[in-house]
């Protein structure tokens, strides 16, 4: 795992949109951590593997 400013968290919001966030910063309102903390590359790999549909959750629900 990286040190200091090179360590990131993977966040998700209610629309199931993902974001990388510097680990040393407070998590913004409306977002929650998924548990992963690591290098930018590790976090990006996680997002690429898990965020398979970038359509916001509210739009996906309307389509059903």
């Amino acid at each position: 795992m990286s040190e200091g400013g090179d360590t990131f968290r993977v966040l998700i919001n209610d629309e199931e949109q993902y974001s990388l966030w510097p680990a040393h910063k407070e998590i913004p309102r409306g977002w929650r951590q998924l548990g992963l903390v690591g290098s930018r590359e590790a976090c990006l790999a996680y997002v690429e593997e898990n965020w398979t549909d970038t359509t916001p959750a509210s739009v996906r629900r309307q389509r059903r």
Side-chain angles (χ1 to χ4, degrees), residues 18-61:
Y18 288 67
S19 180
L20 299 189
W21 196 253
H24 67 278
K25 290 191 172 188
E26 185 175 331
I27 296 173
R29 185 177 304 214
W31 293 84
R32 63 188 181 281
Q33 184 174 328
L34 286 178
L36 182 66
V37 177
S39 68
R40 183 176 191 278
E41 294 78 18
C43 290
L44 279 174
Y46 178 88
V47 169
E48 288 177 11
E49 183 178 327
N50 291 282
W51 193 11
T52 57
D53 185 350
T54 60
T55 307
S58 61
V59 174
R60 288 194 314 266
R61 286 189 293 268

